[in-house]
Amino acid sequence: MTPKLVRPAAGTGRSAPADRFDRRLIAPMVLGSVLNPVNSSMIAVALVPIGVAFGAPPARTAWLVSALYLATAVGQPVIGRLVDMYGPRRLYLTGTALVGTAGLMGALAPSLGVLIAARVLLGFGTSAAYPASMQLTRSEAERTGRDSPTGVLTALAVANQTVAVVGPALGGFLIGVGGWRAIFTVNVPLSAACLVLGALWLPGATVSNAGRRSVDLPGMVIFAAMLLSFMFFLMDPRPTHWWLPVLAVAAAAGFALRELRLDRPFIDLRVLGGNVPLLATYLRQLLGYTTAYSFMYGFTQWLEEGRGLHASTAGLVLLPLSVSALTVSGLTGRREAVRGKLLAGGLVQVAACAGLLLLDSGSPVWLLLAAGVVMGVPQGLIGIANQNALYRQSAPERIASAAGLLRTFMYLGALGASAADAGFFAHGADTAGLHDLALFTAAGSVLFVLVTLFDRSLSTVTPLSGKA
C-alpha cells in the first residue's frame, strides 16, 4: 500500500507550492543520495594505504569494497519496499544516522575486520536516501499534476555522477592531509547535514494497519540469503565453495514460489516478469557499472602499484574523468534520448577498455589522463539514461522498490568488478593484470551495446517533458 504523504513538511511551517515541485526537498534528496557514491569512490585510492597499515594483500582489502556492496545490494530493495509502504521520512532519517555512526566506527577501527564491519553498516545506512528520493519525485508529480520530473531526475543523476567521479580525487586529498582514516570521518558532517535537512523538509506519511501487516519479512530474508550466497561465491569462486551457488539457486526458487503466492509480495515477480523493458534496463545497469567500477578500482590500484604513483597523485590523475563525466552530463542531462545515450555510452566504454591495453609502467602522464577522459564520457551518459528509463518503465506505486533494485544491479556490477580486480590482481596490481581486466570489461561493454541495439522498447520510451 502506498503511504499518503502529509503536507506541509515537518518543521517548515508553510505549505508546499501547489503547482510545482517543492524545491525544499531537493537539498536532502541530493545530499542523501550521494552518500553511497562518495563512500564507494573515495575508498578506491585508500585500498593500498589501508593494506599497508594492516599488512593485508589486495585480495583481503577488496572486502572493503565488497562489504559495502553486499550490504547495499540487499538493503536497497528491502528499504525501497519499506519506503513504498511507510513513506520516505523515517527511513531517510534512520539511514543517514547510521552513516554517521559508521563513519566514527571506521575512523577509530583498530583492525581490518572492524573496518569491514563499518563498511557493512555504511552500506545499510546509505540504502535509504535514493529510493526515498525517487518516491518523493513521483509523489510530487502526482501532487502537482505535472508529470515533468526531468530537472529533478537530472539533478539526482548529475549529483551522483559528480560525487562518484570526484570521489577518488577527494579521497586522495583527504589521505594526503589526514591519512586514510580521514575518508571515514567525512561521513559525520554529511550525516548531520542530512539529519537536519531531512527533519526540516521531508513530509511525514500516514499508513494504515493493513499496510503495516503487508510487510513480507520472510520474503526479504530469503531474498537476502539468495543474494549473499551468490555474492560470497562471486568474491571467492573455488570448487570447495560449490554449495554457495547451490544455496543461491535453492533460495531463488523458494523466493519465487513464495512471492508468486502472496497478494502483497516483497517483489511482485508477476509484474516484473512481464516487464521485459525494465528487466533489460536492470541488465544494462549491471553491465555498465561492472565496467565503470572495474576501471575505478582496478585502474586506480594500478596507478599506485603498477605505475608507482602516490594515492593523492592517483586521485589527481582521475580528475579529467570527473570533468569529462560532468561535462557530458551537463550537456545531455535534460534531453531524453535514452537509446542514443546508451548506445553512445556503450561504444565509448568499448573504446576506453581497448585503450587500457596501451598502458604500461612507463606510460606518460598525458596518456593516463586521456584514459580517464574517455571513460568519463559513458559515466556521464549511462546512469542518467537508465534512471530515466526506469522512471517510465516501473509502476508508480512501486517506484521506490524499482529504484532500489536499480541500485542493487549497480552494486552487483560493483561486486563483479571487485571480484575481477581481486582475481586479476591476485599478486598485486601489475600491468599484466590490468590488461586482463581490460579484456574482461571490453567483453562486458560489447554485450551492453548488443543488449541496447536489440531492445526495441527504448524507441517507445515516453519523453519527459517540461521543467520540474
Side-chain angles (χ1 to χ4, degrees), residues 378-424:
Q379 290 195 22
L381 293 172
I382 291 174
I384 293 178
N386 279 333
Q387 180 178 268
N388 286 342
L390 174 129
Y391 185 86
R392 289 297 177 178
Q393 294 165 343
S394 60
E397 67 276 9
R398 292 272 183 162
I399 185 65
S401 304
L405 278 174
L406 187 71
R407 281 290 180 96
T408 292
F409 277 90
M410 181 177 78
Y411 300 140
L412 286 173
L415 281 165
S418 180
D421 289 344
F424 294 126

Side-chain angles (χ1 to χ4, degrees), residues 115-304:
L115 201 60
I116 292 172
R119 295 282 288 180
V120 171
L121 185 62
L122 194 61
F124 282 116
T126 59
S127 292
Y130 182 72
S133 297
M134 292 295 282
Q135 207 261 10
L136 283 166
T137 302
R138 174 73 75 175
S139 67
E140 281 294 284
E142 293 174 353
R143 181 184 66 82
T144 61
R146 300 180 63 189
D147 188 19
S148 53
T150 312
V152 177
L153 291 177
T154 299
L156 286 174
V158 170
N160 280 263
Q161 295 280 354
T162 302
V163 170
V165 296
V166 172
L170 175 62
F173 170 77
L174 291 173
I175 290 170
V177 172
W180 62 263
R181 294 182 186 273
I183 71 170
F184 289 90
T185 60
V186 74
N187 287 294
V188 178
L190 288 175
S191 171
C194 287
L195 287 171
V196 172
L197 292 171
L200 284 174
W201 305 125
L202 295 188
T206 57
V207 186
S208 68
N209 289 330
R212 292 190 175 94
R213 288 196 298 268
S214 67
V215 178
D216 179 21
L217 289 177
M220 293 178 179
V221 171
I222 298 172
F223 178 80
M226 175 185 69
L227 277 184
L228 289 174
S229 54
F230 172 73
M231 293 177 196
F232 277 124
F233 178 77
L234 187 65
M235 282 304 302
D236 190 15
R238 62 177 67 181
T240 55
H241 292 166
W242 62 267
W243 57 275
L244 285 172
V246 172
L247 178 60
V249 171
F255 180 73
L257 289 174
R258 175 179 175 79
E259 299 302 282
L260 289 172
R261 292 175 179 176
L262 294 181
D263 292 331
R264 295 179 180 273
F266 163 47
I267 296 176
D268 194 342
L269 298 179
R270 288 160 294 199
V271 174
L272 191 61
N275 195 340
V276 176
L278 183 58
L279 292 175
T281 294
Y282 287 146
L283 177 57
R284 279 188 294 270
Q285 187 84 338
L286 170 66
L287 294 171
Y289 279 94
T290 297
T291 296
Y293 280 110
S294 292
F295 183 88
M296 179 184 295
Y297 297 123
F299 183 64
T300 304
Q301 288 184 76
W302 175 81
L303 285 175
E304 295 179 50

Side-chain angles (χ1 to χ4, degrees), residues 3-5 79 82-98 125 128-129 132 136 195 198-199 202-208 212:
K4 180 181 179 181
L5 299 186
I79 296 176
L82 295 177
V83 169
D84 278 330
M85 296 170 59
Y86 293 100
R89 180 183 171 86
R90 68 182 72 179
L91 276 307
Y92 179 97
L93 295 177
T94 301
T96 51
L98 288 178
L136 283 166
L195 287 171
L202 295 188
T206 57
V207 186
S208 68
R212 292 190 175 94

Side-chain angles (χ1 to χ4, degrees), residues 283-350:
L283 177 57
R284 279 188 294 270
Q285 187 84 338
L286 170 66
L287 294 171
Y289 279 94
T290 297
T291 296
Y293 280 110
S294 292
F295 183 88
M296 179 184 295
Y297 297 123
F299 183 64
T300 304
Q301 288 184 76
W302 175 81
L303 285 175
E304 295 179 50
E305 292 190 10
R307 185 60 175 74
L309 301 181
H310 186 269
S312 57
T313 306
L316 291 175
V317 168
L318 292 179
L319 272 180
L321 183 149
S322 308
V323 175
S324 174
L326 291 177
T327 301
V328 171
S329 296
L331 292 175
T332 66
R334 286 187 174 272
R335 289 194 292 272
E336 186 71 1
V338 170
R339 190 169 189 270
K341 289 180 182 179
L342 292 172
L343 281 176
L347 291 171
V348 177
Q349 266 196 347
V350 173

